[in-house]
Amino acid sequence: MIKFTDLELDPRVLKAVEDAGYEKPTPIQAQAIPFALQGRDVLGIAQTGTGKTASFTLPMITMLGKGRARARMPRSLVLAPTRELAAQVAENFEIYAKHTKLTMALLIGGVSFKDQDRLIDRGVDVLIATPGRLLDHFERGKLMLTGVQIMVVDEADRMLDMGFIPDIERIFKLTPFTRQTLFFSATMAPEITRITQEFLHNPERVEVARQATTSETIIQAACVFKPSRKDRTAKEKRELLRALITGEGKTLTNAIVFCNRKVDVDIVAKSLKKHGLNAAPIHGDLDQSVRTRTLTGFRDGEIMFLIASDVAARGLDIPNVSHIFNYDVPIHSEDYVHRIGRTGRAGREGRAITLCSTAEEKYLSAIEDLVKQPIPRIDPPNAARHADKKPPRRAKTAEPAAPVTAVETVEETAAPEQAAPAAEKPRRQSEKLREPAQNKQAAGKPSQDKRTRDKRKPQQKNGKNAVVGMGDHVPAFLQRSL
Ligand code: ADP
Ligand code: MG
């Protein structure tokens, strides 16, 4: 077994890792760190939640420990596709570099150019940025990239989805040819392979799990349903979602509900809220400050159901969730793997339930082909037909004061509609007990409040359109507000 102390990291980094409570490196860390420390280019392929951030930040901090920053010329550059992900890397960097004197700047939308310019002017060791914002700074003549010795591209497949590949290519060309590149992606689409071939020099490829494998600790199911009438599909789908949620009873402590379309993210969140569930939406059209608040609320256990689009959720470090619901079957099979990877982490059992209308069955079979296993079908719970009613007041008033065990008993005996709202409070307590470190980490997240250029070329590549993730065709009745 490889220990962190076997990895020739700077003692100050080792101390920070020990402070963070990590016992041993994750497989991607154990494999990537030695190559990175040798100055080799690394192509890391690993799913979300495998510890990729430390696999590049720890060697970076070690290597940057020698030498000093020069004005306007950052010595290293980390590119992340979204503001949240960039902020998350910055958070991690602060944790791992806390015993060093390395300086860092975060270039993301929503922070004033002036403040960011001041930091860059002084000189930073590490610059963490979204591609659009970095180029904005560069074009304003405030930044030189010729001093970059190490460049990291994180979540490359998401960069591709968001149309950032041309920006990445441009940034590569602005940095010295002799730089070291650490490149991470969960999957290797042909376009990603192409840029790694062009810009990485004889990279060491480290891969931790076969592409598109799903964790064995995730119990998967698909509920195929046929709407009674086509114009009732959306309403019946929402009923079915509630019935499935209720059917999970006390095993459901928190959940992410994925929708293919932004418009549905809002509708589903509104609908769950209306039915007494503690839900909040997250997608790219929401103001940055709202997104940050929602995420923090979800991590801290104040929000039980996060309704999300693929782009908004990808790569975010969300503590273990008990359940994933796919409100729609993802059209791109790989998104299924990413979505359900949000549960069943660190050996805990998770459940992933996919709602599948008869029209979506073809996408479900494509997913089964990709993950090379059948997804068991389940019947819609009986409650689906009645789930439209609001939960009785009784359930609500009983909720606040009830201790954990008492509420769990209520859940077991309560009618299905009542169980889920009643489960909200106790989850907060148990979640806090389970994930103290991560919750603390989330609280320190910087907040940003404006949306800027990060989204300016959404979904250009891969034949996708501007609607988050997918969206072939959106029938008018689906777009109507509730
Ligand atoms: P990825 O970028 O692959 O999605 P992250 O770097 O965000 O994964 O890490 C996921 C979670 O695992 C984070 O909460 C991080 O603090 C934790 N983590 C990372 N490395 C280790 C380790 N060696 N031991 C325990 N936890 C770790
Ligand atoms: Mg990551």
Side-chain angles (χ1 to χ4, degrees):
M1 188 186 84
I2 297 177
K3 300 191 292 294
F4 275 110
T5 43
D6 298 332
L7 292 177
E8 297 186 24
L9 290 162
D10 186 313
R12 291 169 294 181
V13 173
L14 288 176
K15 174 130 196 346
V17 165
E18 198 187 312
D19 295 348
Y22 298 171
E23 283 169 14
K24 57 177 173 47
T26 64
I28 188 88
Q29 291 162 5
Q31 290 182 55
I33 292 174
F35 291 124
L37 288 173
Q38 287 164 22
R40 296 283 308 272
D41 281 5
V42 173
L43 172 57
I45 303 159
Q47 287 179 37
T48 299
T50 49
K52 289 190 287 290
T53 321
S55 67
F56 60 82
T57 40
L58 304 186
M60 275 173 78
I61 298 166
T62 300
M63 293 187 284
L64 293 169
K66 307 158 198 116
R68 287 204 41 210
R70 286 168 57 196
R72 283 198 225 165
M73 291 178 71
R75 300 162 67 206
S76 66
L77 175 63
V78 180
L79 295 174
T82 63
R83 274 163 281 177
E84 285 93 348
L85 287 167
Q88 211 167 276
V89 173
E91 239 173 67
N92 275 268
F93 184 85
E94 270 168 5
I95 294 169
Y96 304 136
K98 67 177 185 182
H99 299 301
T100 72
K101 291 206 170 70
L102 295 179
T103 53
M104 175 194 85
L106 178 62
L107 292 193
I108 52 176
V111 181
S112 88
F113 277 102
K114 223 169 109 200
D115 294 347
Q116 295 179 327
D117 284 345
R118 207 175 309 134
L119 274 175
I120 295 170
D121 275 348
R122 253 188 263 151
V124 290
D125 297 295
V126 183
L127 189 59
I128 301 167
T130 49
R133 187 66 165 200
L134 181 86
L135 287 172
D136 284 345
H137 275 270
F138 182 80
E139 279 156 15
R140 293 166 75 247
K142 297 288 185 187
L143 176 65
M144 279 183 284
L145 295 174
T146 44
V148 171
Q149 297 155 23
I150 307 167
M151 172 162 158
V152 177
V153 179
D154 194 16
E155 305 276 348
D157 44 356
R158 196 50 18 180
M159 301 266 196
L160 173 68
D161 285 353
M162 297 178 76
F164 283 149
I165 296 299
D167 285 354
I168 300 290
E169 293 188 59
R170 203 173 144 212
I171 297 166
F172 264 126
K173 288 176 186 158
L174 294 170
T175 59
F177 180 75
T178 50
R179 67 165 192 268
Q180 177 183 8
T181 308
L182 309 173
F183 191 102
F184 293 87
S185 189
T187 54
M188 287 301 288
E191 184 73 353
I192 305 266
T193 307
R194 182 186 69 74
I195 60 165
T196 58
Q197 283 165 350
E198 184 171 350
F199 295 105
L200 272 60
H201 307 302
N202 187 21
E204 209 39 80
R205 182 183 169 116
V206 296
E207 192 168 357
V208 295
R210 199 164 52 83
Q211 274 186 39
T213 45
T214 52
S215 162
E216 276 158 24
T217 54
I218 306 172
I219 300 169
Q220 302 172 57
C223 182
V224 179
F225 79 102
K226 194 169 171 10
S228 64
R229 259 177 28 198
K230 210 158 174 217
D231 62 347
R232 287 197 181 138
T233 310
K235 185 165 181 289
E236 290 179 5
K237 211 169 177 184
R238 291 194 298 270
E239 285 174 14
L240 175 61
L241 174 65
R242 290 197 301 277
L244 287 167
I245 287 173
T246 311
E248 291 302 297
K250 67 176 177 181
T251 61
L252 192 156
T253 55
N254 58 346
I256 307 177
V257 180
F258 283 97
C259 301
N260 287 0
R261 304 168 192 87
K262 276 187 256 188
V263 55
D264 285 334
V265 169
D266 281 329
I267 294 174
V268 170
K270 230 185 259 173
S271 154
L272 289 180
K273 253 193 275 183
K274 199 179 103 196
H275 285 85
L277 298 180
N278 182 355
I282 186 159
H283 58 68
D285 278 358
L286 292 170
D287 195 78
Q288 179 64 34
S289 60
V290 176
R291 275 151 65 180
T292 307
R293 214 166 42 232
T294 302
L295 264 182
T296 308
F298 187 67
R299 289 198 221 174
D300 290 351
E302 275 141 30
I303 293 167
M304 188 175 181
F305 294 92
L306 187 68
I307 322 303
S309 63
D310 290 282
V311 170
R314 176 75 74 95
L316 290 180
D317 179 24
I318 292 167
N320 200 36
V321 294
S322 73
H323 282 66
I324 297 295
F325 292 93
N326 290 313
Y327 181 76
D328 303 294
V329 182
I331 294 167
H332 300 282
S333 308
E334 279 170 5
D335 282 327
Y336 179 82
V337 181
H338 287 297
R339 289 181 181 187
I340 75 165
R342 297 330 182 94
T343 188
R345 286 203 189 169
R348 292 195 201 105
E349 198 165 271
R351 291 208 17 110
I353 304 177
T354 301
L355 283 72
C356 176
S357 66
T358 39
E360 291 175 302
E361 277 183 294
K362 55 179 184 290
Y363 300 123
L364 196 61
S365 347
I367 290 166
E368 291 178 314
D369 287 347
L370 179 76
V371 300
K372 299 195 174 57
Q373 68 183 85
I375 300 171
R377 305 296 194 264
I378 53 171
D379 289 329
N382 293 335
R385 298 251 46 84
H386 312 290
D388 210 21
K389 288 180 211 134
K390 286 195 177 181
R393 296 241 29 110
R394 177 162 61 86
K396 279 205 156 173
T397 46
E399 176 203 325
V404 178
T405 44
V407 177
E408 283 175 356
T409 329
V410 171
E411 276 177 48
E412 277 171 350
T413 50
E417 290 88 339
Q418 299 167 22
E424 286 171 27
K425 280 272 167 166
R427 195 195 80 75
R428 263 175 242 176
Q429 296 156 5
S430 56
E431 177 71 18
K432 285 233 162 74
L433 291 175
R434 277 189 300 147
E435 305 274 5
Q438 281 167 328
N439 285 334
K440 223 167 77 210
Q441 211 174 306
K445 198 174 165 77
S447 74
Q448 309 93 32
D449 45 21
K450 250 172 58 198
R451 306 173 49 234
T452 52
R453 210 174 143 169
D454 299 358
K455 285 191 76 271
R456 71 206 157 132
K457 293 178 197 163
Q459 314 284 343
Q460 284 172 346
K461 293 278 169 180
N462 239 6
K464 294 178 186 178
N465 61 24
V467 174
V468 171
M470 17 233 98
D472 283 337
H473 162 69
V474 186
F477 69 88
L478 275 176
Q479 298 184 326
R480 226 178 284 145
S481 85
L482 281 179

PDB file of all heavy atoms in Angstrom, residues 4 22-26 29 47-54 88 92 96 155 315 317 345 438 441, ligand 1:
ATOM      1  N   PHE A   4       1.234   8.483   1.686  1.00  0.00           N
ATOM      2  CA  PHE A   4       1.616   9.814   1.212  1.00  0.00           C
ATOM      3  C   PHE A   4       3.113  10.046   1.414  1.00  0.00           C
ATOM      4  O   PHE A   4       3.771  10.672   0.592  1.00  0.00           O
ATOM      5  CB  PHE A   4       0.807  10.904   1.936  1.00  0.00           C
ATOM      6  CG  PHE A   4      -0.526  11.177   1.302  1.00  0.00           C
ATOM      7  CD1 PHE A   4      -1.711  10.818   1.926  1.00  0.00           C
ATOM      8  CD2 PHE A   4      -0.599  11.801   0.046  1.00  0.00           C
ATOM      9  CE1 PHE A   4      -2.936  11.064   1.324  1.00  0.00           C
ATOM     10  CE2 PHE A   4      -1.822  12.068  -0.558  1.00  0.00           C
ATOM     11  CZ  PHE A   4      -2.984  11.694   0.090  1.00  0.00           C
ATOM     12  N   TYR A  22      -6.415  12.829   5.633  1.00  0.00           N
ATOM     13  CA  TYR A  22      -6.309  11.786   4.616  1.00  0.00           C
ATOM     14  C   TYR A  22      -5.330  10.725   5.101  1.00  0.00           C
ATOM     15  O   TYR A  22      -4.223  11.044   5.518  1.00  0.00           O
ATOM     16  CB  TYR A  22      -5.768  12.340   3.289  1.00  0.00           C
ATOM     17  CG  TYR A  22      -6.625  13.392   2.641  1.00  0.00           C
ATOM     18  CD1 TYR A  22      -6.147  14.091   1.535  1.00  0.00           C
ATOM     19  CD2 TYR A  22      -7.906  13.669   3.090  1.00  0.00           C
ATOM     20  CE1 TYR A  22      -6.910  15.053   0.908  1.00  0.00           C
ATOM     21  CE2 TYR A  22      -8.676  14.637   2.466  1.00  0.00           C
ATOM     22  CZ  TYR A  22      -8.175  15.331   1.385  1.00  0.00           C
ATOM     23  OH  TYR A  22      -8.922  16.281   0.770  1.00  0.00           O
ATOM     24  N   GLU A  23      -5.735   9.476   4.993  1.00  0.00           N
ATOM     25  CA  GLU A  23      -4.854   8.404   5.469  1.00  0.00           C
ATOM     26  C   GLU A  23      -3.900   7.936   4.395  1.00  0.00           C
ATOM     27  O   GLU A  23      -2.726   7.684   4.637  1.00  0.00           O
ATOM     28  CB  GLU A  23      -5.690   7.240   5.987  1.00  0.00           C
ATOM     29  CG  GLU A  23      -6.262   7.555   7.363  1.00  0.00           C
ATOM     30  CD  GLU A  23      -7.303   6.566   7.803  1.00  0.00           C
ATOM     31  OE1 GLU A  23      -7.414   5.483   7.175  1.00  0.00           O
ATOM     32  OE2 GLU A  23      -8.013   6.887   8.778  1.00  0.00           O
ATOM     33  N   LYS A  24      -4.441   7.775   3.209  1.00  0.00           N
ATOM     34  CA  LYS A  24      -3.573   7.328   2.113  1.00  0.00           C
ATOM     35  C   LYS A  24      -4.029   7.960   0.801  1.00  0.00           C
ATOM     36  O   LYS A  24      -5.188   8.387   0.697  1.00  0.00           O
ATOM     37  CB  LYS A  24      -3.592   5.797   2.012  1.00  0.00           C
ATOM     38  CG  LYS A  24      -4.975   5.202   1.826  1.00  0.00           C
ATOM     39  CD  LYS A  24      -4.830   3.716   1.659  1.00  0.00           C
ATOM     40  CE  LYS A  24      -6.104   2.915   1.619  1.00  0.00           C
ATOM     41  NZ  LYS A  24      -7.201   3.278   0.834  1.00  0.00           N
ATOM     42  N   PRO A  25      -3.128   8.009  -0.166  1.00  0.00           N
ATOM     43  CA  PRO A  25      -3.519   8.615  -1.445  1.00  0.00           C
ATOM     44  C   PRO A  25      -4.576   7.761  -2.143  1.00  0.00           C
ATOM     45  O   PRO A  25      -4.569   6.532  -2.012  1.00  0.00           O
ATOM     46  CB  PRO A  25      -2.222   8.635  -2.256  1.00  0.00           C
ATOM     47  CG  PRO A  25      -1.234   7.808  -1.524  1.00  0.00           C
ATOM     48  CD  PRO A  25      -1.720   7.580  -0.139  1.00  0.00           C
ATOM     49  N   THR A  26      -5.441   8.404  -2.869  1.00  0.00           N
ATOM     50  CA  THR A  26      -6.402   7.655  -3.682  1.00  0.00           C
ATOM     51  C   THR A  26      -5.624   7.087  -4.877  1.00  0.00           C
ATOM     52  O   THR A  26      -4.508   7.534  -5.162  1.00  0.00           O
ATOM     53  CB  THR A  26      -7.526   8.578  -4.198  1.00  0.00           C
ATOM     54  OG1 THR A  26      -6.939   9.549  -5.081  1.00  0.00           O
ATOM     55  CG2 THR A  26      -8.246   9.300  -3.067  1.00  0.00           C
ATOM     56  N   GLN A  29      -4.195   9.623  -7.232  1.00  0.00           N
ATOM     57  CA  GLN A  29      -3.111  10.381  -6.590  1.00  0.00           C
ATOM     58  C   GLN A  29      -1.837   9.544  -6.555  1.00  0.00           C
ATOM     59  O   GLN A  29      -0.747  10.031  -6.893  1.00  0.00           O
ATOM     60  CB  GLN A  29      -3.522  10.798  -5.169  1.00  0.00           C
ATOM     61  CG  GLN A  29      -4.633  11.841  -5.152  1.00  0.00           C
ATOM     62  CD  GLN A  29      -5.355  11.948  -3.823  1.00  0.00           C
ATOM     63  OE1 GLN A  29      -4.985  11.303  -2.845  1.00  0.00           O
ATOM     64  NE2 GLN A  29      -6.401  12.766  -3.785  1.00  0.00           N
ATOM     65  N   GLN A  47     -13.012   9.213 -12.773  1.00  0.00           N
ATOM     66  CA  GLN A  47     -14.351   9.758 -12.538  1.00  0.00           C
ATOM     67  C   GLN A  47     -14.348  10.808 -11.433  1.00  0.00           C
ATOM     68  O   GLN A  47     -13.398  10.909 -10.657  1.00  0.00           O
ATOM     69  CB  GLN A  47     -15.277   8.634 -12.094  1.00  0.00           C
ATOM     70  CG  GLN A  47     -15.656   7.685 -13.207  1.00  0.00           C
ATOM     71  CD  GLN A  47     -16.550   6.577 -12.691  1.00  0.00           C
ATOM     72  OE1 GLN A  47     -17.396   6.798 -11.843  1.00  0.00           O
ATOM     73  NE2 GLN A  47     -16.344   5.374 -13.208  1.00  0.00           N
ATOM     74  N   THR A  48     -15.447  11.507 -11.349  1.00  0.00           N
ATOM     75  CA  THR A  48     -15.660  12.483 -10.274  1.00  0.00           C
ATOM     76  C   THR A  48     -15.538  11.800  -8.917  1.00  0.00           C
ATOM     77  O   THR A  48     -15.957  10.660  -8.754  1.00  0.00           O
ATOM     78  CB  THR A  48     -17.082  13.070 -10.427  1.00  0.00           C
ATOM     79  OG1 THR A  48     -17.135  13.715 -11.679  1.00  0.00           O
ATOM     80  CG2 THR A  48     -17.392  14.059  -9.338  1.00  0.00           C
ATOM     81  N   GLY A  49     -14.953  12.512  -7.980  1.00  0.00           N
ATOM     82  CA  GLY A  49     -14.891  11.986  -6.620  1.00  0.00           C
ATOM     83  C   GLY A  49     -13.706  11.076  -6.356  1.00  0.00           C
ATOM     84  O   GLY A  49     -13.617  10.439  -5.310  1.00  0.00           O
ATOM     85  N   THR A  50     -12.779  10.989  -7.297  1.00  0.00           N
ATOM     86  CA  THR A  50     -11.641  10.090  -7.116  1.00  0.00           C
ATOM     87  C   THR A  50     -10.431  10.822  -6.531  1.00  0.00           C
ATOM     88  O   THR A  50      -9.398  10.208  -6.312  1.00  0.00           O
ATOM     89  CB  THR A  50     -11.250   9.433  -8.465  1.00  0.00           C
ATOM     90  OG1 THR A  50     -11.154  10.461  -9.454  1.00  0.00           O
ATOM     91  CG2 THR A  50     -12.283   8.421  -8.899  1.00  0.00           C
ATOM     92  N   GLY A  51     -10.566  12.119  -6.304  1.00  0.00           N
ATOM     93  CA  GLY A  51      -9.455  12.864  -5.679  1.00  0.00           C
ATOM     94  C   GLY A  51      -8.488  13.466  -6.682  1.00  0.00           C
ATOM     95  O   GLY A  51      -7.301  13.612  -6.406  1.00  0.00           O
ATOM     96  N   LYS A  52      -8.998  13.868  -7.832  1.00  0.00           N
ATOM     97  CA  LYS A  52      -8.119  14.419  -8.869  1.00  0.00           C
ATOM     98  C   LYS A  52      -7.458  15.727  -8.429  1.00  0.00           C
ATOM     99  O   LYS A  52      -6.301  15.973  -8.747  1.00  0.00           O
ATOM    100  CB  LYS A  52      -8.902  14.651 -10.172  1.00  0.00           C
ATOM    101  CG  LYS A  52      -9.289  13.356 -10.869  1.00  0.00           C
ATOM    102  CD  LYS A  52      -9.850  13.605 -12.255  1.00  0.00           C
ATOM    103  CE  LYS A  52     -11.235  14.189 -12.261  1.00  0.00           C
ATOM    104  NZ  LYS A  52     -12.293  13.282 -11.826  1.00  0.00           N
ATOM    105  N   THR A  53      -8.202  16.559  -7.697  1.00  0.00           N
ATOM    106  CA  THR A  53      -7.650  17.873  -7.338  1.00  0.00           C
ATOM    107  C   THR A  53      -6.309  17.743  -6.614  1.00  0.00           C
ATOM    108  O   THR A  53      -5.336  18.406  -6.974  1.00  0.00           O
ATOM    109  CB  THR A  53      -8.640  18.648  -6.443  1.00  0.00           C
ATOM    110  OG1 THR A  53      -9.956  18.388  -6.928  1.00  0.00           O
ATOM    111  CG2 THR A  53      -8.371  20.124  -6.485  1.00  0.00           C
ATOM    112  N   ALA A  54      -6.263  16.890  -5.605  1.00  0.00           N
ATOM    113  CA  ALA A  54      -4.999  16.739  -4.869  1.00  0.00           C
ATOM    114  C   ALA A  54      -3.934  16.113  -5.751  1.00  0.00           C
ATOM    115  O   ALA A  54      -2.745  16.356  -5.556  1.00  0.00           O
ATOM    116  CB  ALA A  54      -5.223  15.893  -3.619  1.00  0.00           C
ATOM    117  N   GLN A  88     -13.650  25.695  -6.159  1.00  0.00           N
ATOM    118  CA  GLN A  88     -13.387  24.473  -5.403  1.00  0.00           C
ATOM    119  C   GLN A  88     -11.902  24.116  -5.429  1.00  0.00           C
ATOM    120  O   GLN A  88     -11.338  23.698  -4.425  1.00  0.00           O
ATOM    121  CB  GLN A  88     -14.193  23.351  -6.050  1.00  0.00           C
ATOM    122  CG  GLN A  88     -14.644  22.302  -5.105  1.00  0.00           C
ATOM    123  CD  GLN A  88     -15.693  21.439  -5.793  1.00  0.00           C
ATOM    124  OE1 GLN A  88     -16.877  21.783  -5.825  1.00  0.00           O
ATOM    125  NE2 GLN A  88     -15.277  20.355  -6.387  1.00  0.00           N
ATOM    126  N   ASN A  92      -9.305  23.945  -2.242  1.00  0.00           N
ATOM    127  CA  ASN A  92      -8.391  22.823  -2.002  1.00  0.00           C
ATOM    128  C   ASN A  92      -6.954  23.308  -1.933  1.00  0.00           C
ATOM    129  O   ASN A  92      -6.188  22.884  -1.080  1.00  0.00           O
ATOM    130  CB  ASN A  92      -8.497  21.792  -3.132  1.00  0.00           C
ATOM    131  CG  ASN A  92      -9.620  20.815  -2.892  1.00  0.00           C
ATOM    132  OD1 ASN A  92      -9.421  19.775  -2.312  1.00  0.00           O
ATOM    133  ND2 ASN A  92     -10.813  21.175  -3.318  1.00  0.00           N
ATOM    134  N   TYR A  96      -4.198  22.692   1.069  1.00  0.00           N
ATOM    135  CA  TYR A  96      -2.954  21.940   0.914  1.00  0.00           C
ATOM    136  C   TYR A  96      -1.707  22.833   0.998  1.00  0.00           C
ATOM    137  O   TYR A  96      -0.616  22.344   1.253  1.00  0.00           O
ATOM    138  CB  TYR A  96      -2.942  21.172  -0.408  1.00  0.00           C
ATOM    139  CG  TYR A  96      -4.122  20.235  -0.600  1.00  0.00           C
ATOM    140  CD1 TYR A  96      -4.793  20.163  -1.817  1.00  0.00           C
ATOM    141  CD2 TYR A  96      -4.556  19.415   0.441  1.00  0.00           C
ATOM    142  CE1 TYR A  96      -5.876  19.312  -1.996  1.00  0.00           C
ATOM    143  CE2 TYR A  96      -5.634  18.562   0.272  1.00  0.00           C
ATOM    144  CZ  TYR A  96      -6.293  18.516  -0.954  1.00  0.00           C
ATOM    145  OH  TYR A  96      -7.359  17.678  -1.119  1.00  0.00           O
ATOM    146  N   GLU A 155     -11.193  18.765 -15.559  1.00  0.00           N
ATOM    147  CA  GLU A 155     -12.532  18.519 -16.118  1.00  0.00           C
ATOM    148  C   GLU A 155     -12.598  18.851 -17.610  1.00  0.00           C
ATOM    149  O   GLU A 155     -13.489  19.581 -18.058  1.00  0.00           O
ATOM    150  CB  GLU A 155     -13.578  19.358 -15.370  1.00  0.00           C
ATOM    151  CG  GLU A 155     -13.596  19.154 -13.874  1.00  0.00           C
ATOM    152  CD  GLU A 155     -14.426  17.968 -13.432  1.00  0.00           C
ATOM    153  OE1 GLU A 155     -15.180  17.420 -14.250  1.00  0.00           O
ATOM    154  OE2 GLU A 155     -14.294  17.586 -12.266  1.00  0.00           O
ATOM    155  N   GLY A 315     -18.782  17.605 -11.677  1.00  0.00           N
ATOM    156  CA  GLY A 315     -17.502  17.846 -11.020  1.00  0.00           C
ATOM    157  C   GLY A 315     -17.593  18.484  -9.648  1.00  0.00           C
ATOM    158  O   GLY A 315     -16.613  18.542  -8.937  1.00  0.00           O
ATOM    159  N   ASP A 317     -17.919  19.012  -5.876  1.00  0.00           N
ATOM    160  CA  ASP A 317     -17.663  18.112  -4.763  1.00  0.00           C
ATOM    161  C   ASP A 317     -18.811  18.210  -3.771  1.00  0.00           C
ATOM    162  O   ASP A 317     -18.829  19.042  -2.891  1.00  0.00           O
ATOM    163  CB  ASP A 317     -16.336  18.487  -4.104  1.00  0.00           C
ATOM    164  CG  ASP A 317     -16.040  17.587  -2.923  1.00  0.00           C
ATOM    165  OD1 ASP A 317     -16.581  16.462  -2.904  1.00  0.00           O
ATOM    166  OD2 ASP A 317     -15.305  18.008  -2.030  1.00  0.00           O
ATOM    167  N   ARG A 345     -20.620   6.810  -2.817  1.00  0.00           N
ATOM    168  CA  ARG A 345     -19.204   7.119  -2.691  1.00  0.00           C
ATOM    169  C   ARG A 345     -18.601   6.480  -1.453  1.00  0.00           C
ATOM    170  O   ARG A 345     -19.300   6.209  -0.496  1.00  0.00           O
ATOM    171  CB  ARG A 345     -19.020   8.626  -2.578  1.00  0.00           C
ATOM    172  CG  ARG A 345     -19.241   9.316  -3.884  1.00  0.00           C
ATOM    173  CD  ARG A 345     -18.517  10.622  -3.852  1.00  0.00           C
ATOM    174  NE  ARG A 345     -18.876  11.417  -5.001  1.00  0.00           N
ATOM    175  CZ  ARG A 345     -18.552  12.687  -5.114  1.00  0.00           C
ATOM    176  NH1 ARG A 345     -17.879  13.281  -4.156  1.00  0.00           N
ATOM    177  NH2 ARG A 345     -18.877  13.350  -6.181  1.00  0.00           N
ATOM    178  N   GLN A 438     -16.214  17.949   5.405  1.00  0.00           N
ATOM    179  CA  GLN A 438     -16.642  18.508   4.134  1.00  0.00           C
ATOM    180  C   GLN A 438     -17.585  19.675   4.312  1.00  0.00           C
ATOM    181  O   GLN A 438     -17.548  20.630   3.569  1.00  0.00           O
ATOM    182  CB  GLN A 438     -17.307  17.423   3.293  1.00  0.00           C
ATOM    183  CG  GLN A 438     -16.250  16.561   2.642  1.00  0.00           C
ATOM    184  CD  GLN A 438     -16.844  15.306   2.073  1.00  0.00           C
ATOM    185  OE1 GLN A 438     -17.814  14.784   2.595  1.00  0.00           O
ATOM    186  NE2 GLN A 438     -16.269  14.813   1.013  1.00  0.00           N
ATOM    187  N   GLN A 441     -15.577  22.647   5.096  1.00  0.00           N
ATOM    188  CA  GLN A 441     -14.901  23.121   3.896  1.00  0.00           C
ATOM    189  C   GLN A 441     -15.848  23.957   3.043  1.00  0.00           C
ATOM    190  O   GLN A 441     -15.490  24.983   2.512  1.00  0.00           O
ATOM    191  CB  GLN A 441     -14.476  21.889   3.105  1.00  0.00           C
ATOM    192  CG  GLN A 441     -13.230  22.086   2.324  1.00  0.00           C
ATOM    193  CD  GLN A 441     -12.850  20.754   1.726  1.00  0.00           C
ATOM    194  OE1 GLN A 441     -12.723  19.773   2.449  1.00  0.00           O
ATOM    195  NE2 GLN A 441     -12.682  20.693   0.443  1.00  0.00           N
TER     196      GLN A 441
HETATM  197  P1  ADP B   1     -12.498  14.806  -8.268  1.00  0.00           P
HETATM  198  O1  ADP B   1     -11.849  16.090  -8.729  1.00  0.00           O
HETATM  199  O2  ADP B   1     -11.834  13.587  -8.791  1.00  0.00           O
HETATM  200  O3  ADP B   1     -13.970  14.799  -8.525  1.00  0.00           O
HETATM  201  P2  ADP B   1     -11.914  15.798  -5.645  1.00  0.00           P
HETATM  202  O4  ADP B   1     -10.506  16.158  -5.809  1.00  0.00           O
HETATM  203  O5  ADP B   1     -12.910  16.897  -5.653  1.00  0.00           O
HETATM  204  O6  ADP B   1     -12.346  14.704  -6.693  1.00  0.00           O
HETATM  205  O7  ADP B   1     -12.028  14.957  -4.280  1.00  0.00           O
HETATM  206  C1  ADP B   1     -13.231  14.405  -3.842  1.00  0.00           C
HETATM  207  C2  ADP B   1     -13.280  14.355  -2.313  1.00  0.00           C
HETATM  208  O8  ADP B   1     -12.322  13.429  -1.813  1.00  0.00           O
HETATM  209  C3  ADP B   1     -12.934  15.688  -1.664  1.00  0.00           C
HETATM  210  O9  ADP B   1     -13.872  15.924  -0.634  1.00  0.00           O
HETATM  211  C4  ADP B   1     -11.552  15.499  -1.103  1.00  0.00           C
HETATM  212  O10 ADP B   1     -11.357  16.285   0.060  1.00  0.00           O
HETATM  213  C5  ADP B   1     -11.530  14.021  -0.784  1.00  0.00           C
HETATM  214  N1  ADP B   1     -10.191  13.418  -0.886  1.00  0.00           N
HETATM  215  C6  ADP B   1      -9.248  13.681  -1.823  1.00  0.00           C
HETATM  216  N2  ADP B   1      -8.142  12.942  -1.610  1.00  0.00           N
HETATM  217  C7  ADP B   1      -8.380  12.171  -0.540  1.00  0.00           C
HETATM  218  C8  ADP B   1      -7.615  11.183   0.174  1.00  0.00           C
HETATM  219  N3  ADP B   1      -6.393  10.839  -0.212  1.00  0.00           N
HETATM  220  N4  ADP B   1      -8.186  10.604   1.252  1.00  0.00           N
HETATM  221  C9  ADP B   1      -9.445  10.956   1.635  1.00  0.00           C
HETATM  222  N5  ADP B   1     -10.215  11.875   1.020  1.00  0.00           N
HETATM  223  C10 ADP B   1      -9.714  12.486  -0.056  1.00  0.00           C
END
